[in-house]
């Protein structure tokens, strides 16, 4: 969280340009005051932070280099924290020479290579871009930074009559009528054109209209039809020349710029990047021949779209941008917050106009202002009646607050009325009148008591109890309501436990159902989908809560139980048993009803496959007899019985089965305790899926019907393998292997077949899984390991030792201290 606040602090602090910043070095951030930021500003910068993706290290380094003050960062962290808690509660221009290739619709081009027509941008790092995006904007500054608004001169417009011809301009002369001729003539550096049969004509410095008149006069000496109108003359401008314009003052990139002769002041400003942060946007001077001929106010274009003073430039014109005279910032609930340049004659009303006026949520009665004096700052208020006359000073900062999130005339009603919600507090409005406004009480309204939650003068709440029935029938005096009163009318259903009944057993959809008054047993069974095939309609049991039990008696009744016989066809013409809330109904199975249960025999028997259990006491020997007995290759000692886990057990046995399953897991966990054995773990997972019963089929066949001859259960799988001849060796041996079983050989013999124990083997935890599914582990006799016997088909597992972490110095000291304390206690006891 601290890291996040730090990042937010640096982002926001470097992003905000107060008026002081706008008037001095924009990179200097030591004058930033977090207390003067609006909540909307902080929230906007927090959103921009999430989208920027900048690393805090990069931003922190830049922020520190710009003079951040630690106390402002601390304030900002607290501000962000407060806003977060409050909220929880309620994308440069391209290659500059690309413009050279642009050609107008009539083919007119430039007669030069421009050096500065496009708005060239200095490269910025990603961090600088993010920070500049977050900075408070000077109104109008983005106009000359927008790559989509280039202010390029239109080369395809008709030749303006006041266009002044100069060197390098191309004149298109068309003669038509009784005489036809065409000339494309370029004005020479001396300002002349040379027409065949006519001679040299000076045109430089003339408007296109005056040049046309002079050329017509000279051509009429050769083309006499020009005098009587039988021949016509048309002169137009072809490819245009370049001019040199000087931009000086508070310009981002001052200097001399080569522009097309059709360029205007806006074209030149865009080429130079526009005014700097200290430059004026309202007093841009156009100087021609040493005289100021126009003053351009960019705000006229931004506010009204007017470009009356955007004059066409001439060669050697000078554009000068002076420093601003006055800048004022306005933030908060205005449509266009930012920093604005005001003339000395403009008022606060003009500032509001530049800012787009108030938003819908603005508090318009009064605006707060922070103003600089010669020594310190002061705060003041401007009432709405003084907006027109109030004169802002440079450096002022105005705050427009939001209207309060409270109502002067609101009351609310909630609960069991037809139209709950907020209502207007009319003069003299009472609780009965408000209920009428809400279309009255619902049928389920609790009329004995309602409550008014009321705000006291100190904003604490008090609860006022109301006899609602008395107020409505006039027996109790009606209660006048106050601002922000909340009337709560309860429903009778809110004041009692939700009534329900439940049914289980042999119905198609057992469960809990909502109780309805006078609900019968037959209706509940219908809601539960009716009886299943196994259900009996006799002895349906209903258990009911006891409300007045004698708790002092040892034989106190805890529930009432009813046994009811009903028609299985749910005949509603017979007397019906009426239920009460919270009754529990149990539907039993029919006597003697049994669902077929099947088991499977696979492996070395004459007739393997699925078999249906005939009787409840059918055993393994009976099943084997029905399967035709073992084949010649059947290996009785390796037979196994796989029994499914508790997934298919019924509900009444689920608890017992879960306990049995947990015991099995605990047993396997003890087998694997302190052991890293991936092979053994795989075996364990398989065992957990199914219960492997280690039967001894050879003894079952010798003595059928004994305790070893298990009674079959549904899903049992009896598997008789072929004669087994191998033994598997796995785990921490040098080479896990499957080797041939040798009669009389012990555990270590087969370990040696796998290359012997590895250095990480845990010998005392070795175990054997036999072919029939039973498991035996190694035991201890004194200091010696007693390994299990090996049978055909067995699998030997040698676990891995656990890596033990050496004791740290602190642990050694702790153990030593404990032992020493224990020794002292024992010594004292002995004494």
């Amino acid at each position: 969280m601290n890291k996040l606040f730090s990042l937010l602090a640096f982002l926001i602090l470097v992003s905000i340009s107060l008026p002081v910043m706008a008037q001095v070095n924009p990179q200097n951030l030591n004058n930033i005051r977090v207390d003067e930021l609006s909540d909307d500003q902080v929230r906007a910068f927090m959103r921009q932070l999430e989208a920027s993706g900048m690393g805090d290290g990069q931003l922190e380094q830049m922020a520190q280099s710009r003079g951040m003050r630690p106390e402002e960062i601390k304030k900002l962290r607290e501000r962000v924290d407060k806003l977060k808690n409050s909220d929880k509660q309620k994308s440069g221009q391209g290659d500059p020479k690309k413009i050279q290739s642009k050609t107008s619709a009539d083919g007119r081009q430039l007669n030069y290579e421009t050096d500065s027509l496009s708005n060239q941008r200095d490269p910025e790092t990603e961090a600088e871009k993010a920070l500049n995006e977050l900075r408070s904007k000077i109104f109008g500054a983005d106009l000359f930074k927008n790559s989509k608004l280039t202010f390029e001169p239109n080369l395809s417009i008709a030749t303006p009559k006041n266009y002044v011809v100069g060197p390098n301009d191309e004149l298109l002369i068309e003669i038509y009528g009784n005489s036809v001729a065409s000339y494309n003539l370029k004005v020479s550096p001396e300002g002349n054109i040379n027409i065949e049969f006519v001679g040299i004509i000076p045109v430089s410095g003339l408007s296109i209209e005056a040049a046309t008149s002079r050329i017509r006069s000279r051509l009429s000496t050769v083309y006499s039809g020009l005098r009587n109108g039988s021949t016509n003359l048309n002169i137009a401008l072809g490819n245009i020349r370049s001019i040199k314009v000087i931009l000086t003052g508070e310009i981002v990139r001052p200097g001399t710029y080569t522009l097309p002769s059709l360029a205007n002041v806006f074209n030149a400003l865009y080429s130079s990047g526009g005014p700097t942060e200290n430059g004026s946007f309202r007093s841009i001077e156009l100087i021609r021949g040493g005289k100021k001929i126009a003053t351009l106010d960019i705000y006229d274009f931004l506010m009204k779209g007017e470009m009356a003073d955007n004059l066409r430039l001439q060669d050697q014109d000078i554009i000068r941008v002076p420093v601003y005279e006055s800048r004022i910032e306005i933030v908060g609930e205005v449509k266009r917050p930012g920093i604005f340049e005001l003339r000395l004659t403009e008022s606060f009303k003009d500032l509001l106009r530049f800012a787009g006026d108030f938003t819908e949520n603005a508090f318009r009665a009064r605006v707060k202002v922070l103003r600089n004096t010669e020594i310190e700052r002061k705060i003041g208020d401007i009432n709405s009646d003084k907006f027109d006359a109030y004169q802002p000073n440079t450096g002022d900062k105005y705050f427009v607050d939001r209207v309060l999130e409270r109502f002067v005339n609101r009351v609310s009603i909630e609960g069991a009325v037809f139209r709950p919600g907020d209502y207007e507090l009319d003069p003299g409005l009472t609780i009965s009148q408000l209920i009428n406004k809400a279309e009255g009480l619902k049928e389920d309204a609790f009329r004995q008591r309602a409550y008014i939650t009321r705000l006291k003068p100190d904003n604490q709440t008090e609860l006022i109890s109301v006899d609602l029935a008395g107020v409505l029938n006039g027996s109790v005096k009606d209660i006048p309501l106050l601002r922000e009163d909340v009337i709560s009318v309860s429903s009778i259903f809110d004041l009692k436990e939700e009534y329900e009944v439940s049914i289980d057993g042999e119905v198609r959809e057992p469960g809990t159902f909502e109780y309805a008054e006078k609900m019968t047993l037959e209706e509940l069974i219908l809601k539960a989908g009716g009886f299943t095939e196994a259900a009996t309609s006799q002895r349906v049991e209903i258990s009911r809560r006891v409300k007045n039990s004698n708790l002092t008696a040892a034989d106190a009744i805890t529930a009432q139980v009813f046994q009811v016989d009903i028609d299985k066809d749910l005949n509603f013409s017979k007397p019906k048993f009426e239920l009460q809330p919270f009754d529990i109904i149990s539907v039993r199975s029919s006597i003697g009803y049994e669902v077929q249960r099947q088991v499977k025999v696979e492996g070395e028997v004459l007739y393997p496959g699925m078999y249906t259990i005939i009787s409840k006491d059918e055993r393994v020997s009976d099943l084997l007899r029905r399967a035709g007995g073992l084949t010649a290759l059947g290996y009785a000692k390796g037979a196994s019985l796989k029994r499914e886990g508790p997934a298919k057990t019924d509900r009444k046995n689920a608890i017992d089965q879960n306990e049995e399953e947990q015991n099995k897991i605990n047993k396997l966990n003890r087998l694997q305790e302190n052991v890293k054995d991936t092979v053994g773990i795989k075996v364990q997972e398989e065992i957990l899926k199914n219960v492997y019963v280690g039967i001894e089929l050879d003894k079952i066949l010798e003595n059928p019907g004994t305790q070893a001859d298990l009674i079959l259960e549904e899903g049992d799988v009896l598997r008789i393998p072929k004669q087994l001849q191998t033994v598997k060796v796995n785990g921490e041996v040098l080479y896990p292997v499957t080797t041939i079983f040798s009669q009389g050989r012990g555990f270590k013999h087969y370990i040696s077949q796998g290359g012997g124990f590895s250095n990480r083997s845990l010998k005392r935890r070795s175990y054997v899984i036999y072919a029939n599914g039973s498991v035996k582990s190694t035991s201890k006799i004194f200091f010696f390991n007693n390994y299990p016997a090996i049978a055909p088909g067995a699998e030997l597992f040698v676990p891995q030792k656990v890596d033990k972490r050496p004791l740290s110095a602190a642990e050694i000291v702790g153990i030593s201290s404990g032992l020493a304390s224990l020794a002292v206690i024992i010594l004292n006891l002995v004494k």
Side-chain angles (χ1 to χ4, degrees):
M1 185 63 70
N2 288 336
K3 184 177 181 181
L4 174 61
F5 285 161
S6 177
L7 178 56
L8 285 171
F10 287 120
L11 271 171
I12 300 174
L13 288 175
V14 299
S15 309
I16 300 167
S17 298
L18 297 177
V20 174
M21 291 176 56
Q23 299 164 27
V24 292
N25 183 2
Q27 305 297 321
N28 183 10
L29 304 177
N30 61 355
N31 291 321
I32 292 179
R33 298 175 180 88
V34 176
D35 293 336
E36 298 180 6
L37 303 180
S38 67
D39 290 346
D40 290 339
Q41 282 180 295
V42 178
R43 287 191 178 96
F45 299 143
M46 290 167 64
R47 289 192 297 270
Q48 184 67 26
L49 168 65
E50 296 176 358
S52 67
M54 292 293 101
D56 55 342
Q58 188 179 13
L59 293 164
E60 181 176 343
Q61 183 179 3
M62 183 173 296
Q64 290 176 345
S65 66
R66 296 184 184 182
M68 288 295 165
R69 295 196 296 179
E71 57 269 24
E72 294 299 326
I73 296 177
K74 181 180 178 181
K75 289 181 182 178
L76 186 59
R77 289 177 181 170
E78 297 172 354
R79 185 80 174 273
V80 171
D81 191 15
K82 181 179 179 181
L83 278 179
K84 280 180 170 288
N85 294 334
S86 175
D87 291 342
K88 286 180 181 178
Q89 294 171 1
K90 308 180 219 177
S91 297
Q93 184 79 359
D95 185 355
K97 297 207 173 184
K98 285 186 179 178
I99 192 69
Q100 299 175 44
S101 63
K102 291 191 176 181
T103 304
S104 66
D106 58 0
R108 183 182 292 169
Q109 297 180 348
L110 300 178
N111 274 341
Y112 69 99
E113 287 189 358
T114 178
D115 57 2
S116 56
L117 183 60
S118 64
N119 187 6
Q120 302 176 18
R121 310 293 298 162
D122 294 332
E124 295 177 320
T125 66
E126 289 299 321
E128 289 171 337
K129 288 180 181 179
L131 295 176
N132 287 335
E133 284 297 321
L134 293 171
R135 297 173 69 87
S136 293
K137 299 297 189 297
I138 298 173
F139 182 62
D142 287 340
L143 181 65
F144 303 105
K145 298 177 183 178
N146 188 353
S147 61
K148 296 181 180 179
L149 185 66
T150 59
F151 291 105
E152 296 175 11
N154 188 355
L155 303 183
S156 62
I157 62 174
T159 305
K161 291 184 179 181
N162 61 352
Y163 178 80
V164 178
V165 180
N168 292 323
D169 277 343
E170 185 181 39
L171 298 181
L172 306 179
I173 303 174
E174 297 288 340
I175 302 172
Y176 57 94
N178 290 341
S179 301
V180 177
S182 177
Y183 302 98
N184 291 353
L185 302 177
K186 188 173 183 180
V187 180
S188 69
E190 291 78 16
N192 303 321
I193 58 173
N194 190 352
I195 303 177
E196 188 180 8
F197 307 121
V198 174
I200 295 174
I201 304 175
V203 294
S204 179
L206 300 177
S207 66
I208 196 72
E209 188 176 19
T212 300
S213 178
R214 178 174 291 186
I215 294 170
R216 177 187 294 274
S217 176
R218 294 290 299 271
L219 285 175
S220 63
T221 61
V222 177
Y223 299 97
S224 58
L226 291 173
R227 295 192 188 97
N228 56 28
S230 60
T231 301
N232 296 313
L233 173 66
N234 181 58
I235 298 178
L237 188 66
N239 293 336
I240 62 177
R241 73 182 188 278
S242 65
I243 59 175
K244 296 288 185 179
V245 177
I246 300 171
L247 286 96
T248 185
E250 293 298 325
I251 291 287
V252 172
R253 289 183 298 278
T256 301
Y257 285 78
T258 303
L259 301 171
S261 57
L262 291 175
N264 53 37
V265 179
F266 269 104
N267 303 142
L269 288 173
Y270 182 79
S271 300
S272 64
T276 64
E277 292 196 16
N278 286 329
S280 172
F281 284 78
R282 309 200 60 190
S283 302
I284 299 174
E285 302 171 352
L286 176 59
I287 301 172
R288 183 175 295 165
K291 296 181 180 180
K292 183 170 69 174
I293 65 170
T295 301
L296 180 66
D297 186 348
I298 295 177
Y299 279 24
D300 288 341
F301 172 71
L302 294 173
M303 301 299 298
K304 298 177 286 187
E306 294 181 359
M307 301 181 71
D309 294 321
N310 185 25
L311 302 181
R312 184 173 294 109
L313 298 173
Q314 295 185 15
D315 193 34
Q316 299 305 313
D317 277 356
I318 297 174
I319 298 173
R320 188 181 79 89
V321 179
V323 296
Y324 65 86
E325 291 182 347
S326 173
R327 275 195 184 152
I328 293 94
E329 183 175 7
I330 183 168
V331 296
E333 292 301 320
V334 290
K335 297 173 183 176
R336 194 163 45 226
I339 302 171
F340 297 88
E341 182 179 350
L342 263 66
R343 300 183 188 273
L344 298 179
T345 58
E346 290 174 333
S347 67
F348 178 76
K349 192 73 174 179
D350 296 307
L351 176 63
L352 273 181
R353 178 168 55 88
F354 294 149
D357 214 332
F358 295 113
T359 66
E360 297 78 5
N361 298 320
F363 175 61
R364 302 165 183 247
R366 187 171 57 254
V367 174
K368 182 170 64 176
V369 58
L370 292 181
R371 173 165 287 187
N372 296 328
T373 66
E374 294 181 355
I375 301 174
E376 56 192 359
R377 309 190 81 192
K378 69 176 182 179
I379 189 169
D381 293 325
I382 313 171
N383 294 327
S384 58
D385 57 349
K386 298 181 180 179
F387 286 172
D388 291 338
Y390 190 85
Q391 191 70 37
N393 288 346
T394 184
D396 284 357
K397 182 169 183 178
Y398 296 87
F399 297 85
V400 181
D401 293 329
R402 295 175 66 93
V403 294
L404 298 176
E405 290 295 335
R406 57 182 291 171
F407 293 85
V408 298
N409 63 340
R410 179 179 66 176
V411 290
S412 304
I413 186 168
E414 60 187 18
V417 292
F418 284 102
R419 293 189 182 277
D422 299 334
Y423 289 88
E424 178 186 1
L425 177 61
D426 298 324
L429 182 69
T430 64
I431 188 170
S432 61
Q433 293 172 346
L434 179 60
I435 291 174
N436 289 334
K437 278 190 174 186
E439 304 296 339
L441 300 175
K442 289 184 177 180
E443 296 79 1
D444 61 329
F446 182 70
R447 299 169 181 262
Q448 305 305 314
R449 192 67 58 191
Y451 293 94
I452 301 176
T453 304
R454 176 166 292 175
L455 285 178
K456 298 169 69 175
D458 59 357
N459 267 355
Q460 296 189 56
T461 58
E462 63 176 335
L463 200 63
I464 302 174
S465 176
V466 179
D467 181 357
L468 190 57
V471 168
L472 295 178
N473 62 29
S475 62
V476 176
K477 185 179 179 180
D478 209 346
I479 301 176
L481 298 177
L482 302 180
R483 183 184 69 85
E484 296 296 350
D485 278 357
V486 179
I487 294 84
S488 301
V489 180
S490 299
S491 167
I492 57 175
F493 299 111
D494 296 333
L495 304 177
K496 64 180 181 180
E497 189 176 357
E498 184 177 356
Y499 286 173
E500 57 186 23
V501 290
S502 57
I503 184 169
D504 62 3
E506 296 299 333
V507 289
R508 295 178 61 246
E509 297 177 5
T512 301
F513 298 87
E514 184 179 354
Y515 172 78
E517 193 172 350
K518 295 185 180 180
M519 176 185 281
T520 64
L521 177 59
E522 289 82 357
E523 289 171 340
L524 178 59
I525 294 174
L526 279 177
K527 280 193 171 187
F531 292 115
T532 65
E533 183 66 27
T536 177
S537 61
Q538 310 301 312
R539 297 175 64 85
V540 176
E541 186 174 280
I542 301 98
S543 62
R544 181 166 294 169
R545 290 183 179 181
V546 175
K547 297 182 179 179
N548 298 311
S549 178
N550 184 8
L551 298 179
T552 61
D555 57 349
I557 297 174
T558 59
Q560 284 182 293
V561 177
F562 306 91
Q563 288 187 346
V564 180
D565 296 342
I566 62 175
D567 192 325
K568 194 166 186 178
D569 295 330
L570 301 176
N571 189 344
F572 284 82
S573 62
K574 296 182 179 181
K576 299 175 286 294
F577 185 90
E578 191 171 306
L579 300 176
Q580 291 187 9
F582 312 113
D583 281 355
I584 300 175
I585 293 86
S586 299
V587 180
R588 312 296 183 189
S589 298
S590 298
I591 299 174
Y593 183 88
E594 290 285 346
V595 179
Q596 302 95 320
R597 297 179 297 162
Q598 290 191 309
V599 294
K600 185 178 182 181
V601 182
E602 57 185 26
E604 295 300 319
V605 294
L606 293 180
Y607 304 105
M610 299 296 298
Y611 288 85
T612 300
I613 299 175
I614 299 174
S615 62
K616 290 186 177 181
D617 62 347
E618 187 170 4
R619 298 176 179 270
V620 174
S621 59
D622 300 326
L623 176 61
L624 199 58
R625 190 180 305 112
R626 291 170 62 189
L630 303 181
T631 66
L633 296 177
Y635 180 51
K637 290 185 177 182
S640 63
L641 181 66
K642 182 171 70 174
R643 181 161 288 174
E644 292 184 359
K648 292 187 178 181
T649 59
D650 57 24
R651 191 171 69 175
K652 71 175 185 177
N653 294 325
I655 297 177
D656 295 338
Q657 290 288 353
N658 287 333
E659 290 179 355
E660 181 181 342
E661 186 73 8
Q662 188 61 45
N663 290 335
K664 177 180 66 176
I665 294 172
N666 292 338
K667 183 184 295 184
L668 290 169
N669 286 338
R670 286 195 298 271
L671 186 66
Q672 295 292 341
E673 184 180 2
N674 299 325
V675 176
K676 291 183 178 179
D677 180 9
T678 56
V679 179
I681 291 173
K682 290 180 180 179
V683 174
Q684 175 177 330
E685 292 174 351
E686 178 63 25
I687 292 175
L688 289 176
K689 292 178 183 177
N690 300 283
V691 178
Y692 283 89
V693 182
I695 62 172
E696 296 178 340
L697 188 58
D698 52 340
K699 295 182 180 179
I700 291 174
L701 295 178
E702 291 176 1
N703 299 296
T706 59
Q707 186 176 359
D709 192 3
L710 300 180
I711 297 175
L712 298 174
E713 294 185 7
E714 183 179 9
D716 283 353
V717 178
L718 179 62
R719 183 177 180 276
I720 293 88
K722 291 183 180 180
Q723 182 68 40
L724 300 176
Q725 299 176 330
T726 60
V727 173
K728 291 183 180 179
V729 181
N730 282 316
E732 286 300 318
V733 292
L734 296 179
Y735 189 79
V737 69
T738 299
T739 185
I740 298 174
F741 173 75
S742 300
Q743 188 67 38
R745 296 288 190 175
F747 186 91
K748 287 190 175 181
H749 167 76
Y750 296 101
I751 293 297
S752 66
Q753 297 295 310
F757 293 111
S758 70
N759 292 333
R760 299 174 60 82
S761 61
L762 188 60
K763 302 177 185 178
R764 58 187 175 85
R765 296 288 186 182
S766 302
Y767 56 93
V768 177
I769 298 179
Y770 295 98
N772 64 354
S774 61
V775 181
K776 287 188 178 180
S777 60
T778 301
S779 59
K780 275 281 190 179
I781 299 179
F782 297 106
F783 299 102
F784 303 100
N785 293 328
N786 182 26
Y787 297 106
I790 307 301
E795 295 185 44
L796 285 67
F797 292 92
V798 181
Q800 177 182 316
K801 291 179 180 178
V802 177
D803 294 330
K804 294 184 178 180
R805 181 179 61 84
L807 294 176
S808 64
E811 290 172 333
I812 294 173
V813 171
I815 294 173
S816 302
S817 300
L819 292 176
S821 300
L822 181 62
V824 171
I825 293 172
I826 295 173
L827 183 60
N828 290 335
L829 291 173
V830 170
K831 289 183 177 181

